[in-house]
Amino acid sequence: MPLSMRALILERPGSPPTLSVSEVPDPEPGPGEALVQVAACGFCHHDLLVMKGVLRRGVKPRVILGHEVSGTVRRVGDGVATVRAGDRVIALLTNACGGCDRCRQGREHRCRHGEGIGHGRDGGFAEQIVVSEFSLVPVPDSLDLATAALFACPIGVALQAVEQAAQVRPGETVVVTGAGGGLGVHAVQLAGALGARVLAVTSSPAKAARLAELGAAAVLETGPLDFSEIVLAFTEDQGADVIIDTVGSALFPSTWRSLAQYGRWVLLGEVAGGPVELDPAEVIFRDARILGSSGVSRALVQQVAEMVSWGPAKPVAGRTLPLEEAAAAAELLAQRGVLGRVLLVPP
Ligand SMILES: [Zn+2]
Ligand SMILES: [Zn+2]
């Protein structure tokens, strides 16, 4: 049993951030906790924002980032009853206490004592991670453990937006912005699986063919052309019933112009971090619903595992890189150079 492990430490946020791959002491599982040997960890836009120092609130100093974690339980602390050594697992996005009212209601991701994994406490850009037993979800033996890292974020987060927030129905037209990114590429699949006609909006024409394979009825490129014109052309000037927006302010107002009367616009990603100008009268007279969606519950993560098992959802990880190449992974993400997620794997 090694006494130390390799981990990616965020020494100092900034542009560029100061990162180091260091030897740190093995984390020790306390009562109710499990030590997990990390198989893979997805590199999320959230990680990029913390690295740059855009997201600072609640971030642990010298944090080990990464909240999209899969692996195998190695050891458990006292009193653990729901997992044991050898179990293949994925972590929820929040370290949940399992006992508060929200955990008991199945809203573990809003646990009153919850800490963000890879944010308020150390995450999965490391060989090992310790989380509470209530933060772990089993991975069926038939499924690939590395790509299972994506079951909570981004796939579960996308599922919550598409199925629960937007309540997409068969035959509806759904626009997905940022369709080539981690949230987008899975939202395209999930909306398609619910019977919607999906219009995928991307800035990367090279991703168009794969998006069509994954269920997009049409791929619209952002660029000099306002993509809302194409959405209106596809919908006989009605606009889209639903917009799953993983980009936010950078594509406003094209996104807003794409929304139909009675349309639902679900915001689940904000890449640039800027305000938009919205005329309340337009919201009123369009009978529009603007919804925010973040996080994912245990039940939805389990639903993702089932959907991957029987086919309608496929984890898309365009690249897998060793932990040491985290800076290259950050650059790929910033340049939108990969379809879906980049996975980091420990040595
Ligand atoms: Zn994520
Ligand atoms: Zn709780």
Side-chain angles (χ1 to χ4, degrees):
M1 180 78 59
L3 297 173
S4 69
M5 65 165 187
R6 308 274 284 167
L8 181 80
I9 311 286
L10 176 61
E11 302 284 357
R12 207 170 42 249
S15 298
T18 308
L19 300 164
S20 71
V21 177
S22 308
E23 290 284 333
V24 298
D26 276 356
E28 195 54 38
E33 292 181 327
L35 176 78
V36 176
Q37 182 83 35
V38 175
C41 187
F43 199 123
C44 187
H45 208 86
H46 181 99
D47 299 311
L48 198 59
L49 294 175
V50 176
M51 279 185 182
K52 285 182 175 169
V54 176
L55 286 181
R56 287 179 183 273
R57 202 202 299 180
V59 176
K60 173 185 181 275
R62 299 189 78 241
V63 70
I64 301 171
L65 293 168
H67 57 265
E68 303 178 356
V69 188
S70 64
T72 306
V73 175
R74 283 287 167 245
R75 274 186 299 134
V76 298
D78 289 343
V80 168
T82 57
V83 294
R84 59 184 176 185
D87 284 0
R88 289 152 43 95
V89 291
I90 37 185
L92 298 178
L93 309 178
T94 301
N95 195 60
C97 78
C100 73
D101 57 330
R102 292 201 179 144
C103 281
R104 290 197 307 269
Q105 291 159 359
R107 290 186 290 167
E108 306 82 1
H109 55 307
R110 298 283 177 253
C111 171
R112 295 199 187 272
H113 314 287
E115 282 176 315
I117 294 170
H119 187 105
R121 64 185 281 136
D122 285 334
F125 289 170
E127 289 181 84
Q128 301 171 81
I129 182 174
V130 162
V131 293
S132 77
E133 61 173 319
F134 303 108
S135 312
L136 293 171
V137 181
V139 177
D141 284 339
S142 59
L143 299 181
D144 175 54
L145 189 58
T147 51
L150 309 184
F151 285 5
C153 182
I155 309 180
V157 173
L159 182 62
Q160 177 177 282
V162 168
E163 192 184 82
Q164 306 215 321
Q167 300 186 4
V168 169
R169 292 185 290 265
E172 289 190 314
T173 297
V174 175
V175 164
V176 177
T177 64
L183 287 169
V185 78
H186 297 104
V188 166
Q189 296 179 51
L190 296 165
L194 290 172
R197 178 175 66 153
V198 181
L199 306 180
V201 176
T202 178
S203 60
S204 311
K207 297 176 182 173
R210 275 292 281 147
L211 287 168
E213 279 170 28
L214 291 168
V219 180
L220 322 184
E221 288 169 31
T222 57
L225 202 65
D226 179 346
F227 68 83
S228 67
E229 296 292 333
I230 311 172
V231 174
L232 292 170
F234 265 101
T235 55
E236 292 166 347
D237 282 335
Q238 299 300 301
D241 303 297
V242 170
I243 297 173
I244 303 295
D245 188 1
T246 76
V247 175
S249 58
L251 290 180
F252 193 88
S254 290
T255 309
W256 175 232
R257 270 200 295 269
S258 302
L259 192 69
Q261 191 82 30
Y262 297 113
R264 292 97 75 199
W265 175 21
V266 182
L267 290 152
L268 67 159
E270 171 54 35
V271 172
V276 299
E277 210 168 277
L278 185 64
D279 179 350
E282 289 186 43
V283 181
I284 295 165
F285 290 114
R286 218 183 291 188
D287 300 293
R289 274 165 283 171
I290 301 175
L291 305 151
S293 182
S294 71
V296 60
S297 67
R298 164 186 297 276
L300 276 185
V301 175
Q302 284 165 333
Q303 189 181 329
V304 168
E306 284 163 26
M307 291 178 83
V308 173
S309 292
W310 57 269
K314 292 179 189 60
V316 179
R319 282 288 285 279
T320 300
L321 292 172
L323 195 57
E324 285 77 3
E325 291 182 35
E331 188 58 25
L332 278 170
L333 188 60
Q335 302 301 326
R336 293 166 252 167
V338 166
L339 183 75
R341 269 291 185 265
V342 179
L343 285 179
L344 290 183
V345 290

